[in-house]
Amino acid sequence: MSKPRVGIFGLTGCAGDQLVILNCEDQLLDVVGALDIRDFLMATSANDTGCRLDVALVEGAVLSRRDEEKLRRIRERSQVLVAIGTCAVWGGVAAMDGDADRAALLQDIYGAAGASYDSTPARALHDVVKVDLNVSGCPIEKEEILKTVAHLLNGDPPVFPDYPVCAECRMRENNCLLVEKGEVCCGPLTAAGCNARCPELRIACLGCRGPASDASIRSALAMFGERGIPRAEIARKLRTFAPVDTQAGATA
Ligand code: SF4
Ligand code: SF4
């Protein structure tokens, strides 16, 4: 059986997810051996930029018309498109000011030159094209991208945790930063998969993996409310990486 043809691409972002792939070290030769990597600009300048691809892994958010055109071309040539990283899956940090006046932001930062920049409000990949699979994380977890590659080679989609970071945190027997110290820890609303990296180090979760699909927003907000943490503060903190509809759990 021939190896699947793969492309790995970056839109606007920090390139951290592509670096995670390159940093797979012990597994990298196996990955390169199992895949026919045709287009990966971060790794090589000898790319086949026009061939059909079985799988495209795409990092970064759509922040310009150039990003949008690039993403549409990738979609056209790929059978399966995988969004990698929180920017690609949710819009990420760049989408934090999604409702702001773009022209005013460009003027504030770049002055008169800003008006000529190709800059659009940040969008996640699924806002522009059909996405077949999401692998979130800022950056992605090495184990999750390796698992994704293994599952795709096997012909079935990987299953990621839909429960919140709190579940992993409790499995690691941490004392709770929210319950015991009243810290604004976003663990109750954030997708697990990082093995509660930050609370394990006694740092409150910032929500960098995006919302957990199986989170109980209503009870989490009640828990924050009992500790005098306003809903607006939770929403503001979560918005750094991905929007969570904190009104969905409103009790009043
Ligand atoms: S410290 Fe944070 S992640 Fe851990 S249980 Fe408490 S709220 Fe959840
Ligand atoms: S604990 Fe929260 S902020 Fe830290 S890596 Fe996990 S999801 Fe991201």
Side-chain angles (χ1 to χ4, degrees):
M1 202 176 75
S2 62
K3 297 177 188 176
R5 290 182 176 186
V6 174
I8 303 172
F9 306 94
L11 304 178
T12 299
C14 72
D17 304 297
Q18 295 175 83
L19 276 176
V20 167
I21 294 171
L22 288 173
N23 281 342
C24 281
E25 295 168 353
D26 291 347
Q27 298 85 4
L28 193 57
L29 288 180
D30 289 334
V31 170
V32 170
L35 306 176
D36 180 7
I37 299 179
R38 290 296 185 99
D39 201 348
F40 187 9
L41 188 58
M42 179 172 270
T44 176
S45 52
N47 290 303
D48 183 347
T49 57
C51 68
R52 294 283 310 158
L53 297 168
D54 295 302
V55 180
L57 306 177
V58 185
E59 170 190 347
V62 179
L63 263 96
S64 63
R65 286 183 292 278
R66 187 178 64 169
D67 279 340
E68 181 169 347
E69 285 161 18
K70 181 174 176 180
L71 178 60
R72 289 192 189 284
R73 276 201 307 275
I74 294 167
R75 177 69 271 186
E76 277 167 18
R77 60 190 285 222
S78 310
Q79 193 177 340
V80 173
L81 191 148
V82 184
I84 55 170
T86 303
C87 290
V89 175
W90 294 105
V93 174
M96 189 169 37
D97 287 323
D99 296 333
D101 180 336
R102 198 76 186 163
L105 282 177
L106 286 167
Q107 167 74 31
D108 282 351
I109 306 298
Y110 300 109
S116 63
Y117 288 178
D118 175 16
S119 173
T120 56
R123 284 173 291 171
L125 304 195
H126 70 258
D127 290 326
V128 179
V129 297
K130 175 175 170 280
V131 172
D132 301 297
L133 181 65
N134 289 311
V135 183
S136 198
C138 184
I140 52 172
E141 297 292 327
K142 176 180 149 184
E143 291 72 22
E144 287 194 337
I145 194 68
L146 290 171
K147 180 176 165 182
T148 300
V149 169
H151 273 263
L152 290 174
L153 281 167
N154 207 32
D156 54 55
V159 177
F160 297 122
D162 53 6
Y163 46 81
V165 169
C166 285
E168 292 176 329
C169 190
R170 305 314 288 164
M171 280 189 267
R172 299 192 75 172
E173 301 185 349
N174 291 324
N175 293 332
C176 179
L177 295 166
L178 172 62
V179 171
E180 295 186 11
K181 294 187 169 182
E183 291 189 25
V184 187
C185 182
C186 297
L189 296 169
T190 301
C194 61
N195 206 12
R197 179 175 291 116
C198 301
E200 173 69 10
L201 297 169
R202 315 314 297 142
I203 298 168
C205 173
L206 284 170
C208 83
R209 292 178 55 80
S213 57
D214 199 24
S216 171
I217 298 178
R218 182 185 292 262
S219 61
L221 290 174
M223 204 160 54
F224 287 121
E226 283 163 16
R227 285 156 185 85
I229 303 165
R231 182 169 299 187
E233 189 174 343
I234 311 299
R236 184 186 56 75
K237 199 164 182 184
L238 289 167
R239 208 178 59 215
T240 308
F241 293 95
V244 170
D245 182 6
T246 52
Q247 294 308 313
T251 53

